[in-house]
């Protein structure tokens, strides 16, 4: 830095940055970029929060009127804006999708990191990247043309009357989050020091014992992070879910029944409502709930990250 | 004794131990490990050339020599760790208690259970001290709590770590120990699988002098029960701790070979080979 050279020449202590040095281009550009991102996030939060509370402040609905289980927005006699079905639906598809995707993704990541010969890895990794790039509408399209008819026609006997269901949404989502969980888990596992594996192998254990008792425990916090990030993606996905889930605003009771999620209901209804009326305002509230859920996930990921750092 | 026999445990009677009095002289002791015509290749490169070597039981043998002379490669042949290195190939025979450890019907995991390895850098698992030591026995089928408690306590004792950790070894992470303590923990963990032989690959190179001294004292104690092979770059260490010393160097083709092996006092004071004399007197390497 020019400043420190100057101060050495003068043989004096650093006098701090001058105004000109403080606003050098690198500082200005990076500060501007960072400031813009922070401002954008804050503005988004304030905007959604402001709109999300209108149903309570402007339209005078009580908290209980919104956080209840009856969704009946277009009835003239018993109109009700309970959003609990959608919160439950989002949590429901997210959890079931994670339950389906986790064993597959973690297994695949372990295979690629610990077991696969080089040629298999060089096939699996690009395949994973292609997987990530498949647009959600394609997943939804496949779901509606392949999965839903299969459930309706072949699993009719066990309750899939329509095919459109909680289960169909979860299956589609599980495929969409599979590469997310797999690639993060792969990175976590490959970053575990090789010395730990050698230590285990040198004690006369098998490869499976080493994976089961050293690799997986050492990567547990990181694998949890991968699962949470996968669930975040599942919670935020709208289009593919909307195409297969059936979109019925009722509390989910059976995996075989149609239901709806926060995201799918927002995309479905936002075009049918008028700004300022309660139905539109409650959609904003649903958006706010979704945003708060994702903040919760971010906090969870950060906590897990700290646990990883502590080892 | 078959190599596939289950190893003796702290809770089992020691019938499978070789019957050697700890006082017997290293030179007259029975041969524990024997290498004949040992060659190690990494891909096309020959790293070790035609090594014939006898390692006596219940003694400490040190491997010395300049960097790249194949000491560690040879060490890793004794517990088949070279199996895990892609492109590595081992030729020749290695006998443990008179049995070929590369034999067709021998499982590498069995060899590694009977021949422990302590690494250059301490590498405890990220788990409690107790779980670190109990790791081997648990994987090999000991689930009885009392038996595990006894193994852990006795191995920590034999590794001279017990007094320092006895208050919190069930709760404290192995990673929270100092470098020297971690290395003794790794030794305890190795002893817990009841090996015949303990291989040490420059076990003190990452440690300070006081921690090094503790490990050296520990090795002297362990000699009564185990056969120890130590690779070291520190000639004073080899002179201090070992009964026998093998000196390796690197040939024209950059492959390592054995120059001479003998009682440590002979190697350091009256070596037969000029190369050895140059090395131990500091004129080379």
């Amino acid at each position: 830095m020019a400043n420190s050279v100057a101060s050495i020449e003068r043989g004096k202590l650093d006098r701090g940055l001058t105004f000109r040095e403080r606003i050098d281009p690198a500082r200005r550009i990076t500060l501007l970029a960072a400031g813009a991102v922070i401002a954008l996030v804050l503005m988004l939060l304030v905007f959604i929060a402001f709109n999300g509370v209108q149903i309570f402040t402007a339209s005078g609905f009580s908290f209980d009127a919104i956080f209840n289980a009856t969704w009946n927005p277009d009835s003239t006699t018993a109109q009700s804006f309970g959003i609990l079905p959608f919160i439950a639906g989002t949590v429901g598809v997210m959890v079931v999708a994670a339950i389906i995707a986790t064993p597959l993704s973690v297994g695949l990541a372990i295979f690629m990191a610990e077991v696969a010969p080089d040629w298999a890895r060089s096939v699996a990794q690009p395949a994973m990247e292609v997987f990530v790039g498949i647009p959600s509408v394609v997943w939804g399209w496949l779901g509606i043309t392949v999965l839903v008819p299969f459930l309706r026609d072949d699993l009719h006997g066990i309750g899939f009357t329509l095919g459109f269901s909680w289960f169909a949404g979860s299956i589609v989502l599980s495929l969409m989050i599979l590469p997310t969980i797999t690639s993060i888990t792969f990175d976590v596992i490959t970053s575990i020091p090789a010395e730990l594996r050698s230590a285990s192998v040198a004690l006369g254990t098998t490869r499976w014992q080493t994976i089961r008792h050293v690799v997986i425990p050492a990567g547990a916090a990181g694998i949890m992070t991968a699962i949470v990030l996968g669930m975040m993606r599942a919670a935020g996905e709208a289009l593919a879910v909307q195409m297969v889930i059936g979109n019925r605003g009722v509390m989910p009771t059976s995996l075989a029944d149609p239901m709806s999620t926060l995201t799918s209901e927002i995309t479905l209804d936002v075009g049918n409502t008028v700004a300022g009326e309660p139905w539109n305002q409650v959609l904003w509230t649903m958006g706010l709930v979704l945003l708060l859920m994702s903040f919760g996930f971010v906090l969870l990921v950060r906590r897990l990250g700290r646990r990883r750092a502590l080892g | 004794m078959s190599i596939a026999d289950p190893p003796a445990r702290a809770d089992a009677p020691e019938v499978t131990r070789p019957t050697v009095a700890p006082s017997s002289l290293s030179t007259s002791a029975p041969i524990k490990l024997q290498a004949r015509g040992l060659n190690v290749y990494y891909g096309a490169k020959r790293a070790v050339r035609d090594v014939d070597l006898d390692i006596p039981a219940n003694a400490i043998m040190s491997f010395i020599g300049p960097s790249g002379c194949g000491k560690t490669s040879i060490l890793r042949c004794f517990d088949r760790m070279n199996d895990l290195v892609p492109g590595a190939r081992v030729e020749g025979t290695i006998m443990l208690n008179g049995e070929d450890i590369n034999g067709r019907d021998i499982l590498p995991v069995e060899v590694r259970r009977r021949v422990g390895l302590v690494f250059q850098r301490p590498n405890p698992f990220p788990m409690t001290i107790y779980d670190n030591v109990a790791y081997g026995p648990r994987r090999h089928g000991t689930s009885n709590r009392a038996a595990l408690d006894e193994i852990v306590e006795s191995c920590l004792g034999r590794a001279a770590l017990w007094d320092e950790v006895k208050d919190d070894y069930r709760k404290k992470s192995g990673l929270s120990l100092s470098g020297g303590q971690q290395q003794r923990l790794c030794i305890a963990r190795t002893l817990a699988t009841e090996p015949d032989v303990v291989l040490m690959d420059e076990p003190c190179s990452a440690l300070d002098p006081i921690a090094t001294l503790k490990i050296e004292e520990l090795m002297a104690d362990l000699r009564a029960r185990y056969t120890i092979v130590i690779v070291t770059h520190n000639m004073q260490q080899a002179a201090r701790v070992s009964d026998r010393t093998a000196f390796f160097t690197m040939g024209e083709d950059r492959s390592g070979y054995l120059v001479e092996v003998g009682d440590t006092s002979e190697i350091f004071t009256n070596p037969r080979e000029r190369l050895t004399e140059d090395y131990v007197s500091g004129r080379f390497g």
Side-chain angles (χ1 to χ4, degrees), chain A residues 36-203:
Chain A
V37 169
I38 294 166
L40 209 61
V41 170
L42 284 177
M43 279 156 60
L44 182 93
L45 184 61
V46 169
F47 182 67
I48 295 195
F50 174 79
N51 283 295
V53 298
Q54 291 297 311
I55 187 89
F56 306 112
T57 53
S59 302
F61 280 78
S62 70
F63 192 78
D64 289 341
I66 299 305
F67 288 91
N68 76 50
T70 312
W71 176 253
N72 211 352
D74 47 2
S75 165
T76 46
T77 49
Q79 198 178 37
S80 173
F81 294 108
I83 63 170
L84 281 186
F86 308 112
I87 297 174
T90 292
V91 173
V93 287
M94 191 172 79
V95 168
V96 175
I99 289 171
I100 298 169
T102 299
L104 290 172
S105 338
V106 173
L108 183 57
I110 289 172
F111 170 75
M112 293 201 316
E114 300 283 323
V115 185
D118 286 343
W119 67 265
R121 197 173 309 166
S122 64
V123 173
Q125 258 167 344
M128 237 346 95
E129 282 155 23
V130 171
F131 217 103
V132 179
I134 298 176
S136 64
V137 67
V138 174
W139 287 119
W141 192 251
L142 281 172
I144 219 168
T145 53
V146 179
L147 180 64
V148 168
F150 167 76
L151 292 174
R152 185 187 56 220
D153 300 338
D154 295 285
L155 297 180
H156 201 277
I158 58 166
F160 287 92
T161 46
L162 295 170
F164 295 99
S165 56
W166 178 358
F167 190 65
S170 303
I171 293 267
V172 167
L173 276 178
S174 71
L175 290 171
M176 295 181 68
I177 67 177
L178 192 110
T180 308
I181 303 181
T182 306
S183 65
I184 299 171
T185 303
F186 177 81
D187 291 343
V188 165
I189 289 176
T190 45
S191 70
I192 293 169
E195 295 108 70
L196 292 184
R197 294 184 187 81
S198 313
S200 174
V201 169
L203 291 167

Side-chain angles (χ1 to χ4, degrees), chain B:
Chain B
M1 163 163 77
S2 161
I3 207 165
D5 275 347
R9 296 208 187 288
D11 54 333
E14 300 200 353
V15 285
T16 54
R17 286 238 158 263
T19 51
V20 179
S23 59
S24 66
L25 274 174
S26 54
T27 43
S28 61
I31 303 304
K32 173 61 72 175
L33 276 166
Q34 187 180 54
R36 286 291 176 269
L38 187 64
N39 284 278
V40 182
Y41 299 85
Y42 296 116
K45 185 193 180 297
R46 177 148 77 166
V48 172
R49 188 211 314 160
D50 299 326
V51 170
D52 294 333
L53 185 66
D54 290 343
I55 296 174
N58 297 80
I60 301 175
M61 160 83 88
S62 61
F63 287 2
I64 61 169
S67 296
C69 70
K71 308 180 293 282
T72 297
S73 295
I74 296 167
L75 195 76
R76 285 173 168 249
C77 291
F78 293 136
D79 69 346
R80 295 194 60 173
M81 287 297 275
N82 283 328
D83 291 15
L84 308 173
V85 181
R89 197 170 87 250
V90 177
E91 283 174 2
T93 56
I94 294 173
M95 309 289 251
L96 170 65
N97 299 322
E99 226 189 337
D100 185 358
I101 65 166
N102 295 305
R104 253 175 200 285
D105 52 342
I106 303 291
L107 290 171
V109 291
E110 284 297 331
V111 176
R112 295 186 197 120
R113 189 159 144 181
R114 302 291 292 279
V115 181
L117 176 61
V118 177
F119 293 79
Q120 195 168 345
R121 277 174 27 155
N123 55 358
F125 298 126
M127 43 179 95
T128 64
I129 294 168
Y130 183 98
D131 289 338
N132 262 282
V133 181
Y135 182 85
R138 275 181 176 146
R139 300 296 85 79
H140 299 136
T142 308
S143 53
N144 180 296
R145 284 197 62 131
L148 283 172
D149 287 353
E150 196 187 323
I151 293 171
V152 171
E153 189 173 333
S154 83
C155 290
L156 287 172
R158 269 182 267 165
L161 190 58
W162 175 249
D163 290 338
E164 291 159 56
V165 301
K166 64 183 174 210
D167 298 326
D168 49 7
Y169 70 108
R170 283 169 191 275
K171 286 196 191 116
K172 204 168 165 183
S173 165
L175 295 173
S176 67
L177 298 172
S178 72
Q181 289 175 322
Q182 286 190 8
Q183 195 62 302
R184 278 179 281 147
L185 174 60
C186 293
I187 293 172
R189 182 176 66 184
T190 300
L191 300 182
T193 63
E194 287 291 315
D196 282 2
V197 179
V198 178
L199 308 174
M200 298 187 176
D201 186 2
E202 298 186 45
C204 304
S205 65
L207 305 182
D208 64 61
I210 292 168
T212 300
L213 186 67
K214 283 212 160 155
I215 303 269
E216 289 180 3
E217 285 169 358
L218 167 61
M219 288 168 66
D221 293 342
L222 293 176
R223 182 172 57 170
R225 278 184 87 155
Y226 306 94
T227 301
I228 298 174
V229 185
I230 174 175
V231 167
T232 179
H233 266 120
N234 179 336
M235 278 185 284
Q236 284 77 32
Q237 182 170 57
R240 279 194 301 266
V241 301
S242 64
D243 304 294
R244 304 267 292 169
T245 297
F247 171 64
F248 298 87
T249 195
M250 205 161 41
E252 300 277 291
D253 60 347
R254 304 189 64 77
S255 64
Y257 65 96
L258 177 65
V259 178
E260 76 173 287
V261 56
D263 285 344
T264 298
S265 54
E266 294 277 311
I267 295 284
F268 280 92
T269 58
N270 189 20
R272 290 189 303 275
E273 301 288 335
R274 181 65 193 272
L275 276 170
T276 314
E277 193 180 341
D278 286 352
Y279 186 76
V280 298
S281 61
R283 274 198 288 272
F284 153 70

Side-chain angles (χ1 to χ4, degrees), chain A residues 257-274:
Chain A
D257 287 344
M259 60 163 193
S260 193
T261 67
L262 290 167
T263 49
S264 60
E265 197 61 27
I266 293 171
T267 50
L268 202 67
D269 287 358
V270 77
N272 307 330
T273 59
V274 181

Side-chain angles (χ1 to χ4, degrees), chain A residues 190-276:
Chain A
T190 45
S191 70
I192 293 169
E195 295 108 70
L196 292 184
R197 294 184 187 81
S198 313
S200 174
V201 169
L203 291 167
T205 61
T206 61
R207 179 157 67 183
W208 169 244
Q209 288 176 319
T210 300
I211 291 171
R212 165 79 184 74
H213 296 284
V214 173
V215 175
I216 292 179
I223 295 171
M224 281 306 298
T225 305
I227 295 168
V228 171
L229 288 170
M231 286 168 80
M232 256 171 101
R233 175 145 193 237
E237 173 54 38
L239 188 59
V241 177
Q242 191 200 321
M243 288 167 84
V244 299
I245 205 164
N247 303 306
R248 193 176 288 171
V250 292
M251 288 300 276
T253 49
S254 157
L255 280 169
D257 287 344
M259 60 163 193
S260 193
T261 67
L262 290 167
T263 49
S264 60
E265 197 61 27
I266 293 171
T267 50
L268 202 67
D269 287 358
V270 77
N272 307 330
T273 59
V274 181

